[in-house]
Amino acid sequence: MSFRPKTLARGLRAEGGALLPVAVLVVMAVVFVVLVGTADQSITSANGYNILQNVALYGWVALALGLTMIAGEFDLSTPAMFTLGGVVAALVGGSPAVAIGAAVAAGIVVGVVQGLLVARLDISSVAVTLAGYIVLSGVALTVSGNEITTHTNLDFGFEIDRPILEVFSVRSLVVLAGFALIGLLLRYTRIGTELRAVGNDRRAARVAGVPIARRVVLVFVLSAVGAAASGALVSYSLSTAAPNVNLEPLIFGVTAIVLGGVSVYGGKGTALGILIGVIALSLLEEGLVLLAIPDYVANIVTGGLLAVVALIAAPDLLRGGVAALRRDRHEGAAGAPVDATGATSR
Amino acid sequence: MDARRNPGLLVPALADGGAAAAPSRWRVSSAVTLQRGVIGAGLALLLFFALTTDGFFTVANAKAIATAASLVGLVAIGQTLIMLGGSGMSLSLGMTSAVSAMAFVGLLGEGVVIALLGALVLAAVTTGIQGFVVGRWAANAVIVTIAAGLLLEGFGSWAAGHGDLTPTVDRDVYAFLGRPLLGIPFPVYAFAVAALVVQWMLRRTRDGRTLLLVGSSREAARAAALPLTRTAVFAFSIAGVCAALTGIMVAATQHHASLSIQGNYTFDSIAATLVGGTLISGGRGSVTRTLIGALVIAAVTDIALLRGYSSGVQTLVKGLLVLVAVILVRLTARR
Amino acid sequence: MTSSPDTTGTQAGSASSVEEGAPAVPLVEVRSASKAYGPTVALREVSLSVGAGEIHGLCGQNGAGKSTLVKVLAGLVQLDSGTVLLDGRPIELSRPLDAQHHGIALVDQELSVVPALTVEENILLGGAGRPFVRRRAADRARARELLERVGLSQLSPDARVESLSMAQRQLVEIARLLGREARLLILDEPTASLSRADSLVVFAALRELAARGHSVLYVSHRLDEVLDLCDRVTVVRDGARVADESATALEPARLIELIMGDLHRHERAANAARSAPDASDAVELVVRVAQPPRIGGVALRIRAGSIVGLAGQVGSGTSELLRALAGLEPGGTASIELPGGRVARPTSSRAAQAAGIDFVSNDRKGEGLFLERSVGENLVATRLDRISRAGIVGRRALREVAGRLSERVHVKTRGLDAGVLELSGGNQQKVFIGRCLERGSDRILLLDEPTRGVDVHGRAEIHDLVREAAGNGTTVIFASGEPDEVLDLADVVVCLHGGDVVAVRRAEEMTASDLLAETTRGRAAATEEPDGR
């Protein structure tokens, strides 16, 4: 038998993280072309622009979630921080730099508090960030007076969405730059290695001398800042900030990062992979929009995709599969039994 | 490179002396004291605000609190089972409420019994499948339930057409589900019965007891050959039924059903469970605690409402309650 | 069977670079160290000296004081009296950080490399003096240099650690420590998880390091390896040093004698009293386990109702064999041929349970007890099916079963409702074992280190429980790293080494020294036919 399950399993585990996003992107691109083809439309630069605007919408949220997941944590508060970032920017108003700065500052505070609770008190990050989600939802509603806040500076919102080179915009370029920056951080600095170490094997990382608590706080700060800043940018783009939190950013982000090869169990993932996951999902969304597909179909497609992704990541499924494959191979490996009845030596 | 300048450890055991160290007896007992103190102070504060809030101690207000606590509490019972079993939480229970409510309203033409059964079975099966995936393959419950929520939303709105369903039958057929009985709101009965039944199940049935063991340690449960899959399906499908009951009663009161019925039930139910003090990693907690959690949250929200605070402040206070509860539970839990 | 001691050890021992009577001032010296934990004396007036460039072996039974000594050097345990000298000057070792400052590094049994990172990343991980932005060329050069020093110059620094062999991982960890100027490397059972070939790779690297002036303190149960690798060997027994000899002059038999001390008197009466199953009407079963690469293929014919003891050092495969039979090793295949031609395949823990197999893991807290739950709940955890009717647990039946089991195993507890965490280690273990007793006839009970972390009294009680179970017809297979326990409890002893059966003997025909010789000398013994005596 030329088929070697052990090699396959090891290969899947080692290379899966790198191959998955590429495969996903190819599949999505094909799906997109087919969708557009069936709709009897031609692909224009407007599609490219829309796709990149989609990337800009939740790209940083995915990046934020991905960073925490690489470090072995989970930040459920991201969608609330995203909303709050928009509300804060709209309320502060005035100079965009000040407004966005205020949103970022809010993100830093939230990230530090959540990070310290997780790292110092050793509380499950899901529990902490779930509480954070509710608190931040409340804060967003309170500071906005439960009303949609309108930006006073409408020009800025127009500026950042104006097409550049037909497909880009300032907003999408900024978001892409964020990916590049985090990508460089993960790849070329000490911090990147340490984050993956913290996520993959915390004990070993601690023994090696990685300052665990500081790294955990760092990812929560980066996560909250990423969510807040992109929420602020999006609010400029929409010229308004709605105070209600919904799970959409979280759903998009989780799907994108797992498709992008980030391990749900920490330690694996790259900024490029996350970006590819985000682009793939954005392609899908643009395709669905082009076909004027109803929302419920989009929900079913996304939900189905996420369900598949959850299964791919399920540890006991792989474990069971590998076991079954190996069993077939080693059946009957033991020969004639050794006598251990204790009867012979007398 | 001088070793002196280098904080990287040469001795592994140093690493275990950090955050992972077992708390001393003193630390545990002082944490328990702290916990009691905080709970006592919190209750005193609650009582103070209750006494100084006009209209809190009225029959109508008591009914309002009881109804709110019951509707959230029912979903929270399910959330508690899922958390106790070590699966973390479900983010699709609110959607399950809504979709079951829609199924109920849609089936009312076949008779109220069929409609009830149909909605409950639908909920039990859809959440049961999530339980199967989580229990059998240890899939991440948060992701699985988010996916399930999307699928439910998609299929729900597809099946419902325009998304808002109104009963085609006379209101008298189902109105008993939304009408007070002997002066007490109907959801209170449903919640009380469900709480009693589920608490009894946890104590007295094989599956309930197994659930607590699996939640305490999945690895130990696997080594002891306990049925991981069946247990998770058990927890999830009961959670589905409880969530469906809430949705059905809301629909019966409002005389229509749509996806918006989900409201905040998902997160409120998690909040009630955590405020009650159930351990997020499983194995410790009870339905009774969740009942208290749901009541506390309903009372606090009610006081905020009566005192004229916005829904934002209500949410904020809820979140802070959860945060405090999570910290207190962690401080007294074993390391 | 010590008649033909394998000679690979003594021959290769001469490969050492340092001659006897090492340098005048040893690198590290421990002088008359004493340490007591309450009434238990762990070390009495122990001395140890490791010269620069010396590989020094440290041997002794479990509880002889090895690990205390190691912990003292690592700054984890403080001495009651005695001094530690470095380069002839007394040093303070009150914290692990102190040990680190003096260049003393400990390689634990549990490795501290991060599987998902590359070799280079692992080597440089966590070192503080490093710049924020990685310097590609400098890092690469540093990694290559350190890899070369541990003999891994062929290994790509970009290889992921999860794709490496255990030996390579170990060397990567050592390379990291070398990068931090470690002068004394303490290796605690480093080859426990290594195959023989892998061990040789590590040894070559260690010799090379010693030649460059690093010192190694090598703690191991594998005596052949100690003699093979080390320049000198210190033996501790009952907290005292009994020997500090040149490895070249040491015969394996002599080393075993030093470790074991006077031949132990074994209380075999308890086993003899148990009605020995009559050979003529004995029911036999055949156990087969294959789990590459840890267990090549083991097949044993054993008698129902007997107690089989698996003896072997850490990593010999005893634990893996039991786990495979319990359905807990997804990569393994195991089968049990029962009388009447029925074959049970424990492909999962559920399947094992259905086949009548109960398993007591060596990890009581992680894989045994349900720590959040009560004593009573833990005792009945596996028999909820039996005490419930239509899915409802009978309250009286539950009380009755839990009460009976708790009495049967003599758990000292304030009540069945007490949290299982309140119990002492011995009592927790009794609860764990109690859970697996009285499950019906024709069952197989697997115990991995049944008395780990249990005091002498509790240990005797647990042994009685196991004998009683066997007396009632349960077939018992247990693994223990302690020769005395194997000989006390087993009817038949199966010795494993490197995943292979190297000897099968009746327990009363063996001494602890025999057993140690069988389980430590390796494959040479395997060629000898176990029954051919």
Side-chain angles (χ1 to χ4, degrees):
Chain A
M1 225 166 56
S2 62
F3 180 60
R4 280 176 300 170
K6 200 165 125 196
T7 323
L8 177 77
R10 192 182 291 161
L12 268 178
R13 222 167 295 153
E15 302 304 326
L19 286 181
L20 182 67
V22 176
V24 164
L25 188 62
V26 169
V27 169
M28 287 299 179
V30 170
V31 167
F32 179 73
V33 170
V34 170
L35 284 179
V36 174
T38 47
D40 265 343
Q41 297 190 7
S42 55
I43 300 172
T44 65
S45 64
N47 298 134
Y49 175 80
N50 286 340
I51 290 166
L52 283 171
Q53 288 301 95
N54 270 338
V55 170
L57 180 59
Y58 294 139
W60 277 3
V61 172
L63 192 57
L65 279 168
L67 272 177
T68 45
M69 212 173 259
I70 288 171
E73 306 287 348
F74 200 171
D75 189 355
L76 271 176
S77 71
T78 316
M81 197 65 236
F82 179 81
T83 301
L84 184 60
V87 169
V88 167
L91 282 176
V92 171
S95 148
V98 173
I100 295 173
V104 167
I108 292 175
V109 172
V110 170
V112 168
V113 171
Q114 294 195 139
L116 283 177
L117 284 173
V118 170
R120 289 280 171 215
L121 291 184
D122 197 17
I123 307 179
S124 136
S125 58
V126 174
V128 169
T129 56
L130 184 102
Y133 173 94
I134 303 175
V135 170
L136 296 178
S137 308
V139 172
L141 287 170
T142 310
V143 297
S144 67
N146 200 359
E147 274 171 14
I148 292 177
T149 318
T150 310
H151 271 285
T152 45
N153 188 342
L154 297 177
D155 294 342
F156 183 70
F158 181 73
E159 278 302 312
I160 58 174
D161 278 343
R162 205 171 41 156
I164 300 172
L165 298 174
E166 296 205 1
V167 293
F168 294 102
S169 68
V170 171
R171 197 154 63 93
S172 63
L173 285 174
V174 166
V175 168
L176 290 176
F179 270 96
L181 202 67
I182 297 293
L184 291 174
L185 179 84
L186 285 180
R187 198 172 159 79
Y188 291 108
T189 73
R190 199 151 52 84
I191 306 267
T193 317
E194 292 179 358
L195 289 185
R196 280 183 287 129
V198 167
N200 184 242
D201 187 337
R202 197 154 290 190
R203 180 192 165 276
R206 191 178 283 133
V207 173
V210 177
I212 307 289
R214 266 185 276 163
R215 294 296 167 263
V216 169
V217 171
L218 176 73
V219 287
F220 276 101
V221 168
L222 285 175
S223 169
V225 165
S230 64
L233 285 178
V234 170
S235 74
Y236 272 109
S237 164
L238 299 171
S239 80
T240 57
N244 298 305
V245 178
N246 65 61
L247 283 180
E248 209 179 293
L250 183 74
I251 292 166
F252 183 98
V254 168
T255 315
I257 60 178
V258 182
L259 286 179
V262 177
S263 161
V264 187
Y265 299 91
K268 282 175 197 171
T270 61
L272 184 64
I274 298 172
L275 181 61
I276 290 177
V278 169
I279 292 175
L281 272 191
S282 302
L283 267 172
L284 181 69
E285 290 199 347
E286 175 67 5
L288 296 177
V289 168
L290 279 178
L291 286 181
I293 281 179
D295 273 356
Y296 66 83
V297 177
N299 280 332
I300 292 171
V301 170
T302 317
L305 203 59
L306 195 55
V308 171
V309 156
L311 276 179
I312 292 174
D316 284 5
L317 189 62
L318 186 67
R319 178 185 150 119
V322 171
L325 288 170
R326 282 197 187 173
R327 250 195 309 278
D328 290 344
R329 211 170 131 225
H330 299 306
E331 201 58 77
V338 175
D339 184 356
T341 55
T344 46
S345 329
R346 273 282 151 82
Chain B
M1 278 216 285
D2 179 10
R4 224 164 295 255
R5 269 186 24 233
N6 192 332
L9 307 188
L10 294 174
V11 179
L14 181 57
D16 303 329
S24 66
R25 193 174 295 253
W26 178 82
R27 269 188 61 192
V28 169
S29 70
S30 70
V32 169
T33 315
L34 176 74
Q35 186 181 36
R36 289 194 184 135
V38 172
I39 292 173
L43 288 178
L45 207 62
L46 185 65
L47 191 66
F48 171 76
F49 275 110
L51 287 169
T52 55
T53 304
D54 280 342
F56 184 84
F57 287 104
T58 61
V59 173
N61 192 49
K63 282 184 186 172
I65 293 180
T67 308
S70 300
L71 290 174
V72 170
L74 263 172
V75 186
I77 289 174
Q79 203 69 261
T80 306
L81 281 178
I82 291 171
M83 208 176 279
L84 280 177
S87 303
M89 59 182 69
S90 164
L91 293 182
S92 65
L93 287 184
M95 194 59 81
T96 305
S97 297
V99 171
S100 317
M102 289 159 76
F104 171 72
V105 171
L107 286 171
L108 269 177
E110 314 290 324
V112 70
V113 176
I114 300 280
L116 261 176
L117 282 180
L120 294 181
V121 168
L122 175 78
V125 170
T126 50
T127 48
I129 292 171
Q130 297 164 51
F132 180 86
V133 172
V134 170
R136 171 113 198 183
W137 294 309
N140 185 313
V142 171
I143 299 183
V144 167
T145 55
I146 289 180
L150 282 172
L151 289 171
L152 281 173
E153 186 177 351
F155 284 114
S157 37
W158 172 60
H162 293 293
D164 199 351
L165 295 174
T166 352
T168 50
V169 297
D170 195 70
R171 288 187 174 190
D172 290 344
V173 175
Y174 64 86
F176 69 95
L177 288 167
R179 207 178 308 156
L181 189 65
L182 302 173
I184 297 172
F186 192 80
V188 176
Y189 292 104
F191 180 43
V193 170
L196 283 173
V197 168
V198 173
Q199 183 62 21
W200 176 83
M201 280 177 150
L202 281 176
R203 293 183 59 83
R204 290 295 307 280
T205 69
R206 181 190 54 194
D207 291 309
R209 285 184 161 267
T210 310
L211 183 76
L212 290 171
L213 296 173
V214 173
S216 174
S217 165
R218 186 177 162 92
E219 286 317 303
R222 190 202 301 278
L226 299 183
L228 301 177
T229 313
R230 190 178 76 195
T231 310
V233 171
F234 165 80
F236 272 80
S237 44
I238 291 179
V241 168
C242 290
L245 284 175
T246 288
I248 291 168
M249 289 187 299
V250 173
T253 318
Q254 298 178 348
H255 303 295
H256 78 100
S258 71
L259 288 175
S260 68
I261 279 186
Q262 63 170 310
N264 285 323
Y265 285 127
T266 301
F267 281 93
D268 283 357
S269 64
I270 300 173
T273 309
L274 290 176
V275 168
T278 292
L279 203 60
I280 198 163
S281 54
R284 213 181 66 188
S286 70
V287 169
T288 323
R289 283 163 162 271
T290 298
L291 190 143
I292 295 170
L295 277 175
V296 167
I297 287 183
V300 170
T301 314
D302 182 74
I303 289 173
L305 195 70
L306 288 175
R307 293 177 85 94
Y309 290 113
S310 67
S311 63
V313 175
Q314 295 167 27
T315 312
L316 180 59
V317 171
K318 216 181 323 184
L320 290 175
L321 273 177
V322 173
L323 197 59
V324 170
V326 163
I327 294 172
L328 285 181
V329 166
R330 180 69 189 107
L331 287 179
T332 50
R334 80 186 164 84
R335 294 264 169 170
Chain C
M1 301 249 312
T2 51
S3 52
S4 62
D6 191 60
T7 49
T8 50
T10 40
Q11 282 167 359
S14 57
S16 58
S17 55
V18 177
E19 291 307 310
E20 202 148 333
V25 181
L27 175 75
V28 173
E29 194 179 355
V30 179
R31 280 194 193 152
S32 46
S34 294
K35 174 73 189 175
Y37 298 98
T40 323
V41 179
L43 294 177
R44 45 186 125 218
E45 301 283 314
V46 173
S47 294
L48 170 78
S49 105
V50 184
E54 182 184 79
I55 303 182
H56 196 103
L58 181 59
C59 296
Q61 290 196 72
N62 291 339
K66 285 186 319 246
S67 57
T68 309
L69 199 53
V70 166
K71 283 179 186 162
V72 165
L73 286 171
L76 292 164
V77 164
Q78 276 69 58
L79 287 174
D80 295 340
S81 67
T83 46
V84 180
L85 294 92
L86 183 80
D87 296 326
R89 284 186 298 276
I91 55 168
E92 185 78 8
L93 288 174
S94 51
R95 311 172 289 158
L97 223 53
D98 293 337
Q100 182 165 340
H101 286 169
H102 293 299
I104 299 174
L106 174 62
V107 181
D108 214 26
Q109 266 183 46
E110 196 177 344
L111 288 182
S112 299
V113 284
V114 180
L117 298 188
T118 67
V119 169
E120 179 181 318
E121 287 171 333
N122 262 293
I123 290 177
L124 301 174
L125 182 68
R130 295 176 54 221
F132 179 74
V133 176
R134 285 158 58 179
R135 303 275 151 75
R136 294 246 130 182
D139 283 1
R140 181 53 54 101
R142 179 82 176 142
R144 280 206 192 283
E145 178 209 331
L146 292 170
L147 282 176
E148 199 255 300
R149 276 163 73 182
V150 294
L152 287 181
S153 45
Q154 299 300 311
L155 188 64
S156 160
D158 289 325
R160 272 188 204 284
V161 163
E162 62 197 351
S163 69
L164 304 188
S165 71
M166 292 310 287
Q168 288 171 320
R169 294 184 198 198
Q170 195 138 43
L171 292 175
V172 168
E173 180 164 345
I174 292 174
R176 183 203 288 156
L177 295 171
L178 292 181
R180 295 177 184 171
E181 308 301 320
R183 300 177 65 195
L184 173 68
L185 284 170
I186 306 173
L187 287 86
D188 194 357
E189 292 281 351
T191 56
S193 52
L194 301 186
S195 69
R196 178 76 190 161
D198 276 351
S199 301
L200 293 177
V201 173
V202 175
F203 291 168
L206 289 179
R207 286 198 190 98
E208 185 64 22
L209 286 174
R212 296 189 188 196
H214 292 279
S215 302
V216 177
L217 182 62
Y218 186 84
V219 186
S220 178
H221 276 112
R222 297 192 178 179
L223 306 185
D224 53 338
E225 294 181 352
V226 170
L227 292 174
D228 189 356
L229 175 72
C230 299
D231 305 312
R232 295 188 70 80
V233 180
T234 291
V235 180
V236 287
R237 190 202 311 150
D238 297 331
R241 184 176 77 175
V242 293
D244 177 6
E245 295 186 13
S246 162
T248 38
L250 205 53
E251 288 287 323
R254 167 84 183 130
L255 181 55
I256 289 172
E257 209 178 296
L258 285 168
I259 292 170
M260 301 304 298
D262 300 331
L263 289 177
H264 275 256
R265 292 160 282 115
H266 291 292
E267 297 295 335
R268 304 271 321 151
N271 265 17
R274 207 156 54 76
S275 57
D278 189 0
S280 57
D281 65 341
V283 178
E284 291 180 354
L285 22 109
V286 177
V287 168
R288 291 173 193 274
V289 175
Q291 198 211 321
R294 306 298 287 275
I295 301 175
V298 168
L300 293 172
R301 197 164 78 239
I302 59 183
R303 189 188 312 217
S306 66
I307 304 179
V308 177
L310 302 179
Q313 302 304 335
V314 189
S316 61
T318 53
S319 185
E320 288 79 2
L321 196 150
L322 292 180
R323 296 185 63 82
L325 285 174
L328 289 171
E329 290 285 341
T333 56
S335 67
I336 298 171
E337 290 166 27
L338 302 162
R342 201 160 67 81
V343 179
R345 286 179 206 286
T347 52
S348 70
S349 59
R350 301 277 291 159
Q353 183 70 254
I357 295 169
D358 296 300
F359 174 60
V360 176
S361 161
N362 61 12
D363 182 5
R364 183 166 63 229
K365 296 209 159 160
E367 225 179 23
L369 297 175
F370 301 98
L371 297 174
E372 269 96 6
R373 311 308 307 175
S374 71
V375 172
E377 284 177 282
N378 270 284
L379 279 168
V380 300
T382 49
R383 61 193 91 209
L384 286 168
D385 275 329
R386 239 183 50 196
I387 57 172
S388 43
R389 213 179 281 165
I392 298 168
V393 177
R395 200 179 299 188
R396 197 185 302 155
L398 188 145
R399 283 263 134 204
E400 213 175 271
V401 170
R404 196 179 65 230
L405 284 172
S406 131
E407 254 173 49
R408 163 113 189 246
V409 298
H410 307 295
V411 177
K412 285 188 196 66
T413 166
R414 61 177 175 81
L416 292 174
D417 294 328
V420 76
L421 263 180
E422 295 173 21
L423 302 184
S424 70
N427 279 305
Q428 286 184 355
Q429 188 72 5
K430 286 190 224 164
V431 170
F432 192 5
I433 292 177
R435 195 173 86 188
C436 302
L437 298 177
E438 294 189 18
R439 305 290 315 273
S441 55
D442 296 335
R443 295 198 63 102
I444 300 170
L445 177 59
L446 310 173
L447 304 120
D448 197 0
E449 300 288 350
T451 59
R452 176 176 285 180
V454 176
D455 63 19
V456 181
H457 184 67
R459 180 177 159 137
E461 284 185 312
I462 287 170
H463 286 179
D464 283 340
L465 286 173
V466 174
R467 288 190 193 101
E468 202 181 323
N472 293 336
T474 302
T475 309
V476 178
I477 308 178
F478 75 97
S480 173
E482 295 185 39
D484 284 349
E485 174 160 51
V486 174
L487 295 177
D488 276 353
L489 191 54
D491 298 324
V492 179
V493 179
V494 176
C495 299
L496 274 84
H497 190 283
D500 292 318
V501 174
V502 290
V504 179
R505 308 264 293 276
R506 290 180 69 99
E508 63 261 33
E509 294 167 2
M510 264 188 132
T511 64
S513 305
D514 294 344
L515 194 146
L516 204 57
E518 296 287 6
T519 54
T520 55
R521 58 191 231 168
R523 279 175 215 280
T527 53
E528 219 166 322
E529 192 51 44
D531 296 328
R533 292 160 40 90

